[in-house]
Amino acid sequence: MLQRWRTIPLLLTGLLSPSFTLAGPAFENTAIVRTVELGGSLVHVSTTYAVRALEAGQTVYQIALGKDERGKTSWIEAKVKGQQTSLQVEDLGVDGAGHILAVTLPKKLAVNGTINLVLETVQTHATYPWPERASQKDPQALKYGTELFILSPYQTQVQRTKLKSSSPNILSYTTPENVDDFVREGSVTKSGATITFGPYYNVESSLEPEFVEKYQQRVDVHYYYDYPVLEVKKLQRSAEISHWGSNLNIEDNIELRNAGPTLKGQFSRLEHQSQTYFRTQSAHVVTGLTQHLPPGVRNAYFYDLNGNVSTSRLRTTPSVPKNAKSNQYSVLELKPRFPVLGGWNYTYTLGWDAPLEDSVSWDSKNERYIVGVPVLTVIPGAVVDEAEVKIVLPEGATDVEFHSPFPALSSTVSTHTTYLDTTGRPAITFEYKDLTDKHAGVIYVSYKVPLSAHLKKPIAVATAFFSVFAFALTARRVDLRLHKK
């Protein structure tokens, strides 16, 4: 797994660049198939490499992404086809016309040894609405563009790219030019909701600038998309751990935006009600959201800038024992106070409580608590542009250690003070960017809480209570009258 913000300094990249050229003849691609699942804010790409080793003892295979594609890619994961274990991926920087990724193979390959690798990526903000404006009745159409040839430092016998839409109603697509040297029949075909570019045969090392300048070109697909294009401009998650209450409180402040085509003309409430009644609502109008919360949640609340929104509906499931495998989850159906059209924003707060025992474990050997806090609650199909996750530990927690499921832009430790606190609580804040559904991991935090820290709150409460009692007792005995009878 690799994030776009993980880079190697330019000096190191310069030192490594000679190895890119030397690595060229080590492998040959017998076939490359790239499958692009067209979406809204998120585009999932799966590329399969059928690799044959030309030299013995090779353990590192290099994958190239176009510079524009790398800039839009927020998630990268490599696996051996048919296996679930992720392979180590290292970003080596830019070389020639592409961005090089080094994938460590699970074992050494002999001469003519073969392996099938699968590269899974998620692109964000790779599509845009076209036309850019639409009325309440108009359908929603998006455009997506990518490079025609799949870049690779190795020679490729055959390669093809498949673009799959959720609807077979595709408006238009690009017909490649100047590819007669690589085709035997047609250069592009359409079958239902799938556009296939290729197959292209005997493609030489495509990282060379000469190849890119002569053959590489952009291809576009214009298609209908029947779901809202959602973006979370900013997510602020606060997770507060309470040992005395045995509770984990999570609260999300969400700035949601509909990134579909902006509204053309004025909004008509009458037309909206009519479309709702006849169930002919346009795809780019957001009337509700469905989110999956953890099992066992309680005291859920949902409010926006105007106050509580009573149109939400929560269906809870019982708590699941920690480390137990279960697909159960609580379903929260959110209905905004008003329909969110293209270009409109909606800011709301969502929070809930959950039993702490569902998330915490005790390491008796090291005498440490270990708590798992989810990075985010996925909004289907939405990208999170900026995310801030703050985890507030119990007062008196010491020796704090934490592990993020993927690299964060930054992580800071501060002190959070609230009511009945004396010295304040340790708090860890993580900053992320361009999160997708693949980033729904868990942050693990471990810490120690001495006995004195456990007793600090009841002692503070008892001291406050007796202080008030002593003040009241003393105040009753003080005579403030100026003249006595």
Side-chain angles (χ1 to χ4, degrees):
M1 295 176 286
L2 190 66
Q3 298 297 307
R4 73 167 66 177
W5 51 77
R6 293 182 60 186
T7 58
I8 303 297
L10 294 178
L11 178 60
L12 182 58
T13 302
L15 295 175
L16 291 173
S17 59
S19 64
F20 299 165
T21 305
L22 297 176
F27 296 97
E28 180 186 43
N29 301 315
T30 56
I32 301 179
V33 178
R34 176 175 59 183
T35 302
V36 181
E37 299 289 343
L38 298 175
S41 295
L42 304 179
V43 174
H44 293 257
V45 182
S46 177
T47 307
T48 302
Y49 297 83
V51 180
R52 182 170 68 92
L54 303 181
E55 297 180 359
Q58 298 300 313
T59 59
V60 177
Y61 177 83
Q62 294 178 355
I63 292 177
L65 299 178
K67 298 176 183 178
D68 180 67
E69 180 182 4
R70 183 66 183 95
K72 297 176 180 177
T73 301
S74 295
W75 175 268
I76 295 178
E77 186 176 22
K79 297 179 180 179
V80 177
K81 187 177 182 179
Q83 300 183 9
Q84 298 299 321
T85 304
S86 300
L87 302 178
Q88 180 182 351
V89 180
E90 182 181 0
D91 192 330
L92 299 182
V94 178
D95 176 65
H99 205 105
I100 303 297
L101 305 175
V103 180
T104 302
L105 303 180
K107 61 180 181 180
K108 295 182 179 180
L109 294 180
V111 176
N112 293 327
T114 60
I115 189 172
N116 291 334
L117 300 177
V118 179
L119 182 73
E120 299 283 350
T121 64
V122 181
Q123 299 176 8
T124 59
H125 306 289
T127 65
Y128 59 94
W130 192 261
E132 298 178 346
R133 303 181 64 193
S135 66
Q136 289 178 240
K137 294 182 179 181
D138 292 340
Q140 176 178 248
L142 305 179
K143 269 193 174 183
Y144 173 81
T146 185
E147 294 177 334
L148 175 62
F149 288 98
I150 305 169
L151 299 182
S152 177
Y154 316 108
Q155 185 175 2
T156 303
Q157 294 183 9
V158 58
Q159 68 169 245
R160 57 171 55 88
T161 297
K162 298 180 179 180
L163 304 181
K164 294 185 177 181
S165 172
S166 58
S167 170
N169 194 358
I170 296 177
L171 297 173
S172 64
Y173 53 89
T174 303
T175 299
E177 301 177 351
N178 193 27
V179 293
D180 295 338
D181 296 341
F182 308 103
V183 298
R184 297 177 182 175
E185 297 178 0
S187 60
V188 58
T189 56
K190 179 182 181 299
S191 176
T194 303
I195 304 296
T196 303
F197 293 93
Y200 302 120
Y201 298 93
N202 299 323
V203 181
E204 56 194 82
S205 175
S206 51
L207 274 182
E208 301 299 329
E210 295 80 7
F211 178 91
V212 173
E213 182 179 356
K214 184 176 181 180
Y215 298 109
Q216 189 64 288
Q217 54 194 283
R218 178 185 174 91
V219 290
D220 296 290
V221 175
H222 190 198
Y223 60 100
Y224 283 119
Y225 188 64
D226 298 331
Y227 306 94
V229 181
L230 298 178
E231 295 179 6
V232 176
K233 304 300 293 182
K234 189 171 185 179
L235 165 66
Q236 292 179 308
R237 163 161 288 194
S238 174
E240 185 172 334
I241 301 169
S242 173
H243 281 203
W244 276 102
S246 186
N247 184 70
L248 173 63
N249 174 262
I250 293 181
E251 181 176 287
D252 292 340
N253 293 314
I254 300 172
E255 297 180 14
L256 184 69
R257 180 178 183 270
N258 187 341
T262 57
L263 178 63
K264 181 170 60 177
Q266 299 294 326
F267 171 71
S268 172
R269 172 64 68 173
L270 177 61
E271 185 174 317
H272 170 69
Q273 294 293 347
S274 176
Q275 290 177 337
T276 302
Y277 180 80
F278 292 105
R279 297 182 181 181
T280 58
Q281 198 76 58
S282 297
H284 57 87
V285 179
V286 180
T287 57
L289 300 172
T290 300
Q291 293 186 246
H292 294 166
L293 305 184
V297 299
R298 56 179 184 263
N299 302 328
Y301 51 92
F302 167 44
Y303 61 89
D304 58 15
L305 299 177
N306 294 326
N308 182 57
V309 181
S310 59
T311 51
S312 59
R313 179 187 178 190
L314 175 64
R315 291 174 288 174
T316 61
T317 57
S319 295
V320 177
K322 189 172 63 276
N323 300 327
K325 295 182 179 179
S326 175
N327 294 325
Q328 296 183 6
Y329 47 80
S330 301
V331 178
L332 178 63
E333 298 176 354
L334 303 179
K335 187 175 181 181
R337 192 178 299 273
F338 53 86
V340 184
L341 282 76
W344 290 15
N345 301 324
Y346 186 66
T347 300
Y348 65 94
T349 298
L350 169 65
W352 67 87
D353 294 326
L356 186 59
E357 58 266 21
D358 292 351
S359 305
V360 70
S361 59
W362 170 252
D363 183 0
S364 57
K365 180 179 179 181
N366 299 312
E367 297 183 345
R368 302 178 66 89
Y369 293 98
I370 303 174
V371 179
V373 177
V375 175
L376 61 98
T377 300
V378 174
I379 298 178
V383 56
V384 180
D385 294 342
E386 298 180 11
E388 177 186 286
V389 182
K390 184 177 183 179
I391 303 176
V392 182
L393 304 179
E395 187 176 21
T398 60
D399 299 334
V400 179
E401 298 178 359
F402 51 85
H403 172 73
S404 177
F406 45 86
L409 288 176
S410 64
S411 56
T412 57
V413 179
S414 60
T415 301
H416 178 83
T417 304
T418 184
Y419 62 93
L420 296 181
D421 286 346
T422 54
T423 58
R425 310 181 187 189
I428 311 167
T429 303
F430 300 88
E431 300 283 347
Y432 299 104
K433 183 179 180 182
D434 291 336
L435 300 185
T436 69
D437 52 353
K438 294 288 189 178
H439 294 91
V442 177
I443 300 174
Y444 289 99
V445 182
S446 66
Y447 54 91
K448 294 182 178 180
V449 182
L451 179 61
S452 59
H454 283 296
L455 299 177
K456 185 178 296 185
K457 187 176 291 293
I459 292 175
V461 173
T463 301
F465 174 78
F466 282 110
S467 297
V468 173
F469 177 78
F471 174 78
L473 188 65
T474 304
R476 290 191 61 183
R477 284 164 171 74
V478 176
D479 190 354
L480 299 178
R481 290 176 298 177
L482 297 178
H483 301 286
K484 295 184 179 181
K485 291 183 180 180

